[in-house]
Amino acid sequence: MIQLDRELVEPVMVAAFEGWNDAGEAASLAVEHLSEKWGAKELCALAPDDYYDFQVTRPRMTVADGRLTSMEWPTTRVRVVRPPGSRRDVVLVTGPEPNMRWRSYSADLLAIARELGVRRAVILGSLLADAPHTRPIPVTGMSSPLELGTRYGLEAATYSGPTGIVGVVHDTFSSAGVETVSLWAAIPHYVAQPPCPKATLALLSWVQDFLETEVPLGDLPEDSVSWEASVNDLTAEDEDIAAYVRGLEEAKDTVELPEASGDAIAQEFERYLRRRDDG
């Protein structure tokens, strides 16, 4: 039984998992950003022995002055917060992707969500892709029901193949009748090292829509500009990489023909109107 000091109001769960689902750490940093900016309070954690192989996902110890001061075990933490000016609560979930018993793990998360009254879950992921760093970070996804993503103009994901815990949790929640959306940011594979603030910013832009709550961006816009400038400098030092990036840009711009760009502008304008009305 989770101990709450108040009843949650229309809570929405936002989750991200470190590891395979988290290229550039864009997804996990998005949830950590929200937790820090909103001052989320930890509510509970899943028992780590049930889901982690400690030889694969090792605990971390802290030593000070030759003395072991703390041991941190890998686990999934659940936090809760009422964002300023919001009419609803947000439940934040972060942790490493579990090493085993994924179905039981997802069922435990679902049980927590049900106990808290969660009716919508937004699950974040990031992947490596042939995407140029000079263009907006593409975000695709899937939703259940399908109309949920369509309502917000989310571009439907087309990937089929091996999945991580994001896909399993999505299936568990949607099969249980919870409104569920998964958002995936495409990280340029030639700059995969974390962090990637531009991708984190792109994910939070969509999180804001599905939460129907303004998200504090902090320094992320400035960090994104600096990140892109740094990558520009790196690619300029290698003509082969620079030529490769130009090819990606041309391919991206060819796909986004004027009529396609017009549709994108219309969708963005609709998102703007929704945010204004929600405000």
Side-chain angles (χ1 to χ4, degrees):
M1 175 71 73
I2 298 174
Q3 297 297 321
L4 291 169
D5 55 11
R6 61 179 176 82
E7 185 177 352
L8 302 188
V9 178
E10 299 180 19
V12 177
M13 178 177 283
V14 181
F17 306 93
E18 303 160 17
W20 189 89
N21 314 267
D22 194 26
E25 298 180 0
S28 59
L29 288 177
V31 177
E32 291 298 340
H33 175 89
L34 294 178
S35 179
E36 177 185 348
K37 293 299 181 184
W38 283 335
K41 176 183 176 182
E42 185 164 328
L43 199 58
C44 63
L46 272 65
D49 295 53
D50 293 339
Y51 301 116
Y52 294 100
D53 178 345
F54 299 135
Q55 289 184 323
V56 178
T57 308
R58 292 182 178 271
R60 297 180 63 87
M61 67 178 187
T62 300
V63 176
D65 298 325
R67 183 171 62 89
L68 178 63
T69 58
S70 67
M71 184 72 70
E72 182 180 355
W73 295 90
T75 188
T76 297
R77 303 186 186 281
V78 180
R79 289 166 281 192
V80 66
V81 65
R82 171 76 62 83
S86 175
R87 69 178 187 275
R88 59 162 57 101
D89 291 287
V90 177
V91 178
L92 301 173
V93 177
T94 54
E97 180 179 61
N99 305 119
M100 51 197 177
R101 302 187 184 95
W102 284 13
R103 286 181 290 185
S104 296
Y105 176 91
S106 300
D108 277 356
L109 280 184
L110 176 63
I112 292 172
R114 280 177 162 163
E115 186 172 348
L116 296 177
V118 169
R119 296 184 180 181
R120 176 180 295 181
V122 181
I123 313 169
L124 308 183
S126 47
L127 49 82
L128 300 180
D130 293 329
H133 70 279
T134 54
R135 300 294 186 267
I137 295 290
V139 175
T140 58
M142 57 183 180
S143 63
S144 177
L146 184 61
E147 295 75 16
L148 178 61
T150 303
R151 184 191 318 160
Y152 292 95
L154 179 64
E155 182 180 349
T158 58
Y159 170 80
S160 296
T163 189
I165 196 62
V166 168
V168 176
V169 171
H170 182 112
D171 178 66
T172 299
F173 274 59
S174 61
S175 297
V178 179
E179 285 189 345
T180 309
V181 58
S182 298
L183 302 171
W184 288 90
I187 308 288
H189 67 84
Y190 53 90
V191 282
Q193 67 274 17
C196 184
K198 189 172 181 178
T200 296
L201 187 62
L203 285 171
L204 288 176
S205 174
W206 282 98
V207 169
Q208 184 168 253
D209 285 355
F210 286 100
L211 287 183
E212 298 175 349
T213 298
E214 185 175 356
V215 168
L217 300 179
D219 295 331
L220 279 174
E222 293 79 7
D223 292 344
S224 298
V225 172
S226 298
W227 175 84
E228 186 170 330
S230 298
V231 179
N232 284 340
D233 293 341
L234 289 174
T235 56
E237 295 174 359
D238 189 317
E239 180 52 37
D240 289 339
I241 295 179
Y244 176 70
V245 172
R246 288 194 295 271
L248 291 178
E249 291 171 338
E250 292 171 2
K252 179 73 172 176
D253 295 342
T254 298
V255 171
E256 294 182 349
L257 296 171
E259 57 269 23
S261 297
D263 291 341
I265 292 171
Q267 285 187 351
E268 189 61 32
F269 185 62
E270 289 175 359
R271 291 178 67 195
Y272 162 76
L273 291 177
R274 279 196 301 271
R275 289 174 180 173
R276 187 186 65 176
D277 292 342
D278 293 337

